[in-house]
Amino acid sequence: MLLGCIADDLTGATDLALMLVRGGMRTVQVIGVPDDPGSLPQADAIVVALKSRTIPAEEAVAQSLASAEALLAAGARQFFFKYCSTFDSTDRGNIGPVTEALMERLDCPFTLACPAFPATGRTVYLGHLFVGNLLLSDSPLKDHPLTPMRDPNLVSVLSRQTGRAVGLVPFDVVDRGADALSAAFREAEEAGTAIAIVDAVSDRHLHTIGEAAADLPLITGGSGVAIGLPESFRRRGQIASGDPVAGFAPPGGRAAILAGSCSAATQEQVAEARAAGIPAFRVDPQDLASGQTGVAEVLAWAAEQGGEGPLLVYSTATPETVRSVQDRLGRDAAGALVEKTLAEVACGLVEQGVRRLIVAGGETSGAVVQALGVRVLEIGPEIDPGVPWTVAAGAPSVALALKSGNFGAPDFFVKAWDLLA
Ligand code: ADP
């Protein structure tokens, strides 16, 4: 294993894993702190997905260190701490404390911090983070419910989170290329800087950073920075050329879609799947609450469906319908009821022989993955931007596509299966 990654949330971990796969690295995603490093599968990179963005800093540090320990035991030679491209954090952390703890454990006196992801509009110029054409502090992130970002100057943001000296390597240095940037890293370290915010406004800059950071034991940033890492390993002959998903072997079996997202993209996808004739069962939270329908009814219906094609179970509804259900049941109660039901349906479907499953919705995916006891996901081909097929190791092994609500084209539920043929 070459690269051990620790990500502070589940979808960010998938994002990073995909970036590495696209760069030619065989990549596996592990959910939660790995309990047995010996059981980690062979891969060029392992991404540990934590849920540590907004938990107390001590817990985030403890989980990150335990993950680092497992990755070290599995042979990781370089580490990547992945956080959000909008640097989501509070003055108490967790980016600073986790970076600091990993530096200490990995004996790393100097590292860089770069959330830039120009393809999604996140750029860093003179240490200031822009979201599209707005400064971070003028963007919607200023009103984030958990991590309101009101200061766009990352040197000051990070300085408030760590006792280590934070510096800046500005645009003009990065723009001159990898040699200039490596020299700047050495100078910064000699001058006492421990963590350097590095500017980047284009993918070329990210590739430069990847090349200059090849010898750093720890790199921190958004998934954008990972764009330049595979090339460093390839240059050294550490990863083979060839298709990293060539060995991807999804299990055969029945197929199903569970949609618990009410986002606009998922609504279109449900409509398109139904129009394409995919058998569908609508789960209504009101009926679940009254006991009129439940997991048993859904599973009985699923068992009756013949044919090879996928079947669809969805709670997806329009904003008006969702609002009226929430008014009656309460927002959290309605959400929890639907999540629990779909998670139990997922387990029942797997018992019925379903081996290929698409789940729509971030929270819904979390509930399903937890109910199925999934710990390890091998990353396969990308269906639509940001959403790969994965194979969940285990008995039985299941092909899973976990789709954040608003991701994917309207025909996602119809076409995704072609990649498993
Ligand atoms: P997304 O990725 O689109 O945000 P999530 O799964 O993260 O999707 O969140 C959707 C939330 O809405 C979940 O908690 C889900 O249980 C809940 N939900 C789904 N369908 C309904 C519905 N018909 N009425 C009320 N809440 C619903």
Side-chain angles (χ1 to χ4, degrees), residues 315-341:
S315 65
T316 311
T318 59
E320 302 78 59
T321 314
V322 171
R323 248 193 314 276
S324 95
V325 165
Q326 288 176 337
D327 286 345
R328 268 172 286 155
L329 302 179
R331 192 189 64 185
D332 293 348
L337 185 60
V338 173
E339 283 173 35
K340 181 168 176 289
T341 304

Side-chain angles (χ1 to χ4, degrees), residues 63-264:
Q63 290 183 19
S64 304
L65 284 177
S67 305
E69 227 48 72
L71 292 168
L72 278 169
R77 298 184 213 168
Q78 189 176 39
F79 280 77
F80 189 95
F81 170 39
K82 151 79 176 75
Y83 38 79
C84 190
S85 60
T86 46
F87 217 75
D88 295 10
S89 51
T90 68
D91 285 350
R92 289 185 306 284
N94 292 335
I95 296 175
V98 170
T99 301
E100 217 177 299
L102 290 173
M103 290 174 81
E104 183 118 11
R105 175 62 188 90
L106 300 171
D107 227 352
C108 169
F110 174 83
T111 189
L112 66 91
C114 179
F117 197 167
T120 59
R122 277 70 159 149
T123 54
V124 182
Y125 179 66
L126 299 181
H128 287 63
L129 179 55
F130 290 81
V131 177
N133 55 7
L134 295 173
L135 270 173
L136 176 65
S137 47
D138 294 326
S139 80
L141 275 302
K142 72 180 188 302
D143 299 318
H144 190 283
L146 303 175
T147 51
M149 301 303 289
R150 306 248 159 99
D151 180 355
N153 181 342
L154 298 182
V155 175
S156 15
V157 173
L158 191 55
S159 294
R160 288 195 292 271
Q161 298 181 24
T162 172
R164 304 234 177 173
V166 181
L168 170 68
V169 178
F171 170 82
D172 65 311
V173 175
V174 185
D175 203 46
R176 287 209 299 276
D179 290 342
L181 184 55
S182 300
F185 285 165
R186 280 192 300 275
E187 281 164 28
E189 186 181 347
E190 278 159 23
T193 296
I195 309 170
I197 302 289
V198 182
D199 280 356
V201 303
S202 70
D203 281 359
R204 184 169 62 80
H205 296 142
L206 296 178
H207 283 286
T208 298
I209 294 171
E211 193 177 340
D215 293 320
L216 293 182
L218 173 69
I219 298 165
T220 86
S223 50
V225 166
I227 212 174
L229 302 185
E231 195 48 42
S232 300
F233 294 118
R234 190 169 296 107
R235 223 177 286 117
R236 296 174 171 188
Q238 291 171 318
I239 50 174
S241 48
D243 184 355
V245 301
F248 184 77
R254 288 180 64 203
I257 304 156
L258 294 176
S261 159
C262 300
S263 296

